[in-house]
Every structure is written in C-alpha cells, then in structure tokens.
Amino acid sequence: MDKRNRALPPKLEAVLIRLGKAAQLNVTQAVKLPYLVDVVAAHVLGHPITEGTHQAWEYGVVTREVWHYLDKCENSAVLHVEPVQWSEEKKVVIDSG
C-alpha cells in the first residue's frame, strides 16, 4: 500500500478531529497545529502525543503525514478537503460524529 494513501496514526487523527471540531481549519493550520500540540505536550507531559513526523519546510514546520493524507484524502471516511470560494486555500471538514 502506498504510504500516502494509508490512514493517519490513531493519535494524530484524534488530534485533527478534536482541533477540527473546535474551529474551522484550513489545510495550512491542519498541517502545522499537530506540531504545536506536540511542543506543548512535550513541555507539559515530557513527550509528544501525536505520533506525527514533523519536518521543517520552506514556510515552517509541518506534520508530514497530515500533508500527504490531506493531499490524497478523496476516499476518507473521517475528513475531507473542500475548496474555499474565491481563494486558493482549502478547508478541512470533519465527517466523523
């Protein structure tokens, strides 16, 4: 199975769902917020919690698995990406109950 098409790690998926239910996320926020969650968790708990791989890209740190997942999530039962009218940005929509 191609790594980009597999499901997100369970803890990372839970973090995205929780953040996405609290506020409407765009793709940029969705790929950057798990890193910030891990920074806070490492400070408070002493270890990261998302199971994500954080990488420094040209415009900041992103969570690699989230980027690849959102890029190919056409068949996801948990979330999907929708275009934002009159914008190049896309929003992340949580489908789970």
Side-chain angles (χ1 to χ4, degrees):
M1 176 185 275
D2 183 29
K3 285 184 177 183
R4 289 173 290 185
N5 287 333
R6 70 177 175 199
L8 289 170
K11 290 179 183 178
L12 184 53
E13 181 178 84
V15 165
L16 276 180
I17 290 170
R18 181 67 184 119
L19 291 170
K21 285 185 175 187
Q24 177 63 62
L25 298 178
N26 61 37
V27 172
T28 302
Q29 293 166 328
V31 299
K32 291 179 178 282
L33 283 173
Y35 166 70
L36 295 175
V37 168
D38 274 347
V39 168
V40 172
H43 179 72
V44 174
L45 303 173
H47 58 86
I49 61 171
T50 69
E51 302 175 335
T53 305
H54 310 297
Q55 298 177 332
W57 287 9
E58 185 176 350
Y59 293 107
V61 177
V62 300
T63 306
R64 183 181 59 89
E65 293 87 352
V66 177
W67 175 261
H68 291 298
Y69 184 77
L70 292 178
D71 191 42
K72 303 288 184 190
C73 71
E74 297 92 12
N75 298 322
S76 172
V78 178
L79 53 89
H80 67 276
V81 176
E82 292 181 353
V84 175
Q85 190 173 12
W86 298 301
S87 174
E88 293 180 5
E89 187 59 74
K90 296 178 183 174
K91 65 181 176 178
V92 177
V93 179
I94 306 300
D95 295 326
S96 68

